[in-house]
């Protein structure tokens, strides 16, 4: 089994149960969860706590479009016949459960690249990986990156951000161009999404960090972009509306990511990197 951090957090315990089931555990009962929490916390958990864990699991099972696990009475059962999309699901769970601290070898860039594929499928258009550290084919200097984006989208470049900024709060830029025959002479004005990824446990402090007001100074958009916020956890229903209002845009949590990656990522290199990373995480966090 894997280490269970924060045994007093019902949502984190639910993440742990999901991950254990995904990695091969056949089933979990309420009593088994209570036993694990007792062993980690050193005290018997309240019945209401275990019920909270169960409610989280039941709600999540109803939201995933792929049945990674099923709830039958007091038993959570692994669906062994599901393979497509399971890797991406596990990646989200590892980030959600253990965070994105660099010393853990978490490689949040992998989460960003995987999220970009999910957003690309949602938008049905094109995607540009803008965030720092940049990928090999992307301009390092932020001003050149902003200009590159403006040229790709046929939008008007105005000025570069101050050089001290690495990505100015934007990790992924996605847009849906109109079907115009001459791509080189396409007109400006299309739906654009500027998205920030937050793979760490401190994501609630980052919901309003993307400075859209600054981005409308760098590029004179014919139509102002929308904002997106991406996290590997499942945002509870009680927080969903408030978080969405804080973001002032679209929220992509684990449910929305995996529901747009039901067939897995298309990039073969990314898939190999994700597989290797998951294996590393299993070894690192094994009890």
């Amino acid at each position: 089994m894997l280490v269970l951090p924060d045994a007093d957090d019902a949502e984190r315990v639910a993440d742990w149960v999901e991950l254990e089931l995904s990695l091969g555990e056949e089933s979990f009962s309420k009593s088994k969860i209570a036993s694990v929490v007792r062993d980690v916390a050193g005290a018997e958990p309240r019945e209401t706590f275990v019920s909270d864990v169960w409610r989280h699991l039941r709600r999540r099972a109803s939201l995933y479009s792929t049945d990674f696990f099923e709830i039958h009475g007091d038993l959570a059962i692994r669906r062994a016949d599901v393979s497509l999309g399971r890797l991406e699901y596990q990646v989200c769970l590892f980030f959600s459960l253990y965070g994105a601290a660099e010393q853990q070898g978490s490689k949040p860039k992998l989460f960003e690249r995987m999220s970009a594929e999910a957003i690309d499928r949602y938008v049905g258009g094109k995607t540009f990986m803008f965030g720092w550290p940049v990928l090999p084919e992307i301009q390092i200097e932020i001003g050149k990156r902003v200009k590159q984006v403006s040229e790709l989208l046929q939008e008007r470049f105005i000025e570069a951000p101050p050089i001290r900024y690495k990505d100015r709060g934007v990790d992924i830029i996605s847009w849906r161009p109109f079907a115009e025959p001459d791509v080189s002479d396409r007109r400006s004005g299309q739906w654009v999404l500027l998205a920030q990824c937050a793979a760490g446990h401190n994501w609630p402090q980052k919901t309003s960090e993307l400075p859209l007001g600054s981005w409308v100074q760098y590029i004179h958009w014919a139509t102002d972009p929308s904002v997106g916020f991406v996290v590997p956890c499942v945002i509870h229903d009680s927080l969903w509306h408030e978080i969405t209002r804080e973001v002032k845009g679209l929220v992509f949590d684990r449910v929305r990511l995996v529901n747009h990656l039901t067939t897995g990522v298309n990039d073969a290199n990314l898939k190999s990197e994700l597989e290797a990373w998951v294996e590393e995480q299993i070894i690192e966090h094994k009890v």
Side-chain angles (χ1 to χ4, degrees), residues 61-62 64-70 77-82 86:
S62 72
Y64 296 131
S65 59
T66 299
D67 294 328
F68 296 109
F69 64 95
E70 297 177 338
I77 303 172
R78 181 181 195 267
R79 282 289 301 270
D81 57 331
V82 174
R86 188 178 290 278

Side-chain angles (χ1 to χ4, degrees), residues 24-274:
E25 192 73 23
E26 290 185 6
S27 64
F28 272 94
S29 63
K30 283 187 177 181
S31 60
K32 185 175 180 179
I33 292 173
S35 175
V36 171
V37 171
R38 181 186 63 240
D39 291 344
V40 173
E44 192 72 32
R46 301 186 310 276
E47 184 177 339
T48 54
F49 179 83
V50 178
S51 295
D52 283 344
V53 173
W54 211 253
R55 277 193 289 272
H56 288 310
L57 291 171
R58 187 181 297 278
R59 177 57 173 155
R60 294 173 185 185
S62 72
L63 292 171
Y64 296 131
S65 59
T66 299
D67 294 328
F68 296 109
F69 64 95
E70 297 177 338
I71 303 293
H72 294 284
D74 286 350
L75 203 62
I77 303 172
R78 181 181 195 267
R79 282 289 301 270
D81 57 331
V82 174
S83 58
L84 291 177
R86 188 178 290 278
L87 170 65
E88 294 74 15
Y89 172 61
Q90 291 171 348
V91 169
C92 285
L93 283 165
F94 269 112
F95 276 109
S96 182
L97 187 58
Y98 298 110
E102 285 298 331
Q103 64 267 25
Q104 294 178 341
S106 65
K107 299 181 181 177
K109 199 69 184 180
L110 287 178
F111 176 68
E112 290 177 22
R113 291 164 61 192
M114 185 185 82
S115 298
E117 283 216 22
I119 292 174
D120 184 66
R121 295 184 193 183
Y122 171 71
V123 173
K126 299 180 179 295
T127 301
F128 184 93
M129 293 297 300
F130 190 87
W132 185 269
V134 297
L135 297 179
E137 68 275 12
I138 305 299
Q139 295 279 0
I140 294 176
E141 186 181 323
I142 187 170
K144 292 181 178 179
R145 259 180 290 151
V146 171
K147 189 171 184 179
Q148 185 178 0
V149 168
S150 68
E151 291 171 350
L152 282 171
L153 276 67
Q154 302 288 4
E155 300 287 353
R156 190 184 304 168
F157 175 78
I158 301 297
E159 63 181 34
I163 197 167
R164 68 178 180 273
Y165 294 118
K166 299 296 186 182
D167 53 31
R168 206 58 172 111
V170 172
D171 295 307
I172 302 165
I173 299 176
S174 191
W175 65 99
R176 186 169 184 173
F178 286 93
E180 296 173 355
D182 189 351
V183 175
S184 62
D185 193 31
R186 180 183 292 129
R187 296 172 297 177
S188 62
Q190 59 223 301
W191 189 77
V192 180
L193 181 73
L194 306 180
Q196 180 185 32
C197 295
H201 289 160
N202 64 337
W203 67 264
Q205 284 76 54
K206 295 178 176 290
T207 53
S208 56
E209 283 190 358
L210 199 160
L212 185 59
S214 295
W215 276 88
V216 297
Q217 292 180 168
Y218 308 145
I219 298 176
H220 188 188
W221 309 90
T223 301
D224 284 350
S226 299
V227 170
F229 188 68
V230 190
V231 291
C233 61
V234 177
I235 297 178
H236 192 266
D237 289 347
S238 63
L239 292 175
W240 182 261
H241 182 79
E242 290 302 314
I243 295 299
T244 302
R245 295 300 301 173
E246 287 177 17
V247 171
K248 297 180 181 177
L250 299 177
V251 176
F252 297 83
D253 67 347
R254 178 164 76 244
V255 169
R256 289 184 169 180
L257 292 176
V258 300
N259 285 355
H260 280 91
L261 292 171
T262 53
T263 57
V265 296
N266 292 327
D267 185 329
N269 291 331
L270 175 57
K271 181 180 180 181
S272 296
E273 291 180 57
L274 292 174

